[in-house]
Structure formats: C-alpha cells, structure tokens
Amino acid sequence: MESQMPLFKELSTTVRDSATPQESNRRFCKELETALIDLGFSLSPDENLKPNSFCTRQTYKDMYGADRQSSFLINSAQYGLVRVEAHRQEKSGSVDQKFPFFFQSMLGTPEKYLVIVFDGDGYKKEAYTWLTSKAESVEDKVFKVFRTLDLFLEWITSTERD
C-alpha cells in the first residue's frame, strides 16, 4: 500500500491542474472578489449597493433579451455603478468568439461604466484588438477592457476619473 501512495499524490495534482474552463473562471471570479474585499469593498447580499460595495451574479438582459448574470456589479465611490464581466482563459479556446456577445450585451445595461477583465492568454490577439477598438469607440458609456486583474484593480482604486 505504501508503494501506491505516490500514485495518489500524483493523481490529485493532475486533477487539480486540469480544471474545466468553468471551474477556472469561477476561481478567477473568487480571486477578484477577494481582491475587492482586500481593497476595502464590501460584499452586499443584494443589488442595493452602498458606496464601495459590490454584489455578484447581477442579472441583466443580454443582446437577445434573455437573462444573463454579470460577474460583478460594483458601486465605486469614484465611478458609481460599474458592471464587470470577468473571464479566465488560460488555453486557446472559445472566449474570443464570445467577445462580440459580451460587448453588445453590456452596451444594453444602464450603467455608465462597463468593464471586461481577463486573466490568461488563451484568446487570439486579433480578437482582443477588435474588442479594445470597439470599446474605445463607445461614446455614451465608458467601456474598459483589462488584460489582467492587476490592471483592473489599479483602475477601480485610482483617484483619476475617466
């Protein structure tokens, strides 16, 4: 039996490292949630947000009129309400095919500040360039795209307003 123990240790490492994209994305959202709390934001049980608080999985209508839940709705003392979609894509996959959906759907929300924050390099460079270009072209809202969690956290805590 002792000779088989290393096999179990090896298996548990492999299982942990082979998380599905959904599990990986959930972990990324949890990391973002923890980072917000560490910065002094508080988690709210509902959408009645006080300044410097946030809620998770806030429902809005997507571009097809169906209910969709964004990763976060943050009430920043600096910016007011900020709707955030957070996605981790560590390996090449379909997230870049979803860029137009995320972009168009978020434009229909009432918040002035819209954010997509990524983690990982699993999207095509051309798709990312397309998304940032589209975000910069929005005139009636402030649409931000961040390639890392750190860049987003730096923005949400900055004292300069866009």
Side-chain angles (χ1 to χ4, degrees):
M1 186 70 159
E2 281 299 314
S3 65
Q4 293 179 359
M5 289 307 285
L7 295 175
F8 288 108
K9 289 179 184 174
E10 184 179 312
L11 178 63
S12 66
T13 301
T14 304
V15 169
R16 182 180 60 235
D17 293 342
S18 65
T20 67
Q22 293 82 7
E23 291 167 337
S24 181
N25 199 54
R26 276 192 284 274
R27 276 186 282 175
F28 178 52
C29 287
K30 192 63 177 168
E31 290 167 22
L32 198 157
E33 180 179 319
T34 300
L36 287 170
I37 291 170
D38 289 348
L39 290 171
F41 288 85
S42 60
L43 178 60
S44 176
D46 56 37
E47 68 277 0
N48 296 321
L49 299 174
K50 296 176 182 166
N52 289 327
S53 68
F54 67 95
C55 62
T56 61
R57 303 185 57 80
Q58 181 62 32
T59 302
Y60 70 99
K61 295 289 184 191
D62 67 19
M63 63 188 273
Y64 304 121
D67 285 344
R68 172 163 179 78
Q69 293 180 332
S70 59
S71 304
F72 297 91
L73 184 62
I74 301 171
N75 188 351
S76 160
Q78 180 67 16
Y79 300 107
L81 291 178
V82 180
R83 186 165 299 269
V84 178
E85 286 284 5
H87 295 279
R88 173 176 280 158
Q89 187 75 24
E90 297 169 327
K91 298 177 184 173
S92 179
S94 64
V95 75
D96 52 309
Q97 296 171 1
K98 299 173 186 172
F99 287 179
F101 174 79
F102 295 144
F103 176 76
Q104 194 63 43
S105 293
M106 289 181 78
L107 285 178
T109 65
E111 294 79 26
K112 177 180 179 182
Y113 289 90
L114 308 173
V115 169
I116 299 176
V117 59
F118 294 106
D119 183 61
D121 295 320
Y123 49 83
K124 291 180 181 74
K125 177 184 166 193
E126 298 84 0
Y128 184 81
T129 300
W130 176 89
L131 181 59
T132 56
S133 174
K134 292 298 281 183
E136 289 169 1
S137 73
V138 175
E139 295 181 8
D140 60 334
K141 295 179 183 257
V142 178
F143 205 124
K144 297 289 203 177
V145 180
F146 297 97
R147 71 177 74 219
T148 68
L149 176 58
D150 288 341
L151 290 172
F152 167 68
L153 295 174
E154 185 179 304
W155 175 80
I156 198 73
T157 58
S158 71
T159 56
E160 292 183 27
R161 191 166 180 175
D162 293 317

